[in-house]
């Protein structure tokens, strides 16, 4: 039986390229608990080198990816004035299918972002 897993990637829509070197944190949420379970940094393709939540560690539930966009924007010279309009970008989502591949990408610019369930 196949087991689910979670992947992500980040595209910099202002520069028109993958967002390399962006730190991502993954939290599992349960009731009042907000527990960090993974951390990764995007590679040259804007992806993590491995699933951020791989098979074997995957469980259904509510999760939150936190993209450390401010650090990336500062490093690429796109930050603008402090405080930044976007610093940490949290995306809270649920995973209900135990055998599914969930892909949650981030399309990022200094003043906006979007996400969707990818494939």
């Amino acid at each position: 039986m196949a087991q689910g897993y979670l992947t992500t990637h980040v595209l910099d829509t202002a520069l028109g390229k993958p967002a390399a070197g962006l730190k991502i944190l993954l939290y599992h949420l349960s009731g009042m608990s907000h527990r960090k379970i993974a951390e990764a940094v995007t590679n040259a393709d804007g992806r993590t080198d491995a699933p951020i939540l791989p098979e074997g560690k995957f469980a259904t539930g509510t999760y939150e990816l936190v993209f450390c966009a401010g650090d990336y924007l500062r490093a690429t010279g796109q930050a603008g004035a402090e405080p930044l309009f976007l610093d940490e970008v949290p995306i809270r989502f649920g995973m209900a299918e135990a055998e599914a591949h969930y892909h949650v990408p981030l399309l990022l610019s200094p003043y906006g972002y979007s996400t969707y369930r990818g494939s």
Side-chain angles (χ1 to χ4, degrees):
M1 172 150 91
Q3 173 136 11
Y5 61 103
L6 171 65
T7 58
T8 186
H9 78 275
V10 185
L11 299 175
D12 183 327
T13 58
L15 296 180
K17 64 182 189 177
L22 193 146
K23 183 167 73 170
I24 304 168
L25 309 172
L26 176 65
Y27 293 86
H28 181 256
L29 284 65
S30 179
M32 297 302 289
S33 171
H34 194 116
R35 184 174 50 95
K36 185 171 89 169
I37 59 172
E39 182 174 321
V41 176
T42 57
N43 59 26
D45 195 33
R47 299 176 183 277
T48 57
D49 289 331
I52 195 158
L53 187 59
E55 292 182 30
K57 293 188 176 182
F58 183 90
T60 58
T62 303
Y63 291 83
E64 186 172 85
L65 283 166
V66 177
F67 296 87
C68 298
D71 293 339
Y72 168 81
L73 294 169
R74 286 181 192 95
T76 59
Q78 301 181 76
E82 296 283 344
L84 299 182
F85 182 71
L86 293 176
D87 193 357
E88 291 187 347
V89 176
I91 299 174
R92 188 170 291 181
F93 58 97
M95 298 190 294
E97 302 169 52
E99 297 85 27
H101 170 202
Y102 285 85
H103 183 68
V104 181
L106 180 71
L107 305 177
L108 176 67
S109 75
Y111 297 100
Y113 67 90
S114 65
T115 190
Y116 55 94
R117 181 177 175 184
S119 58

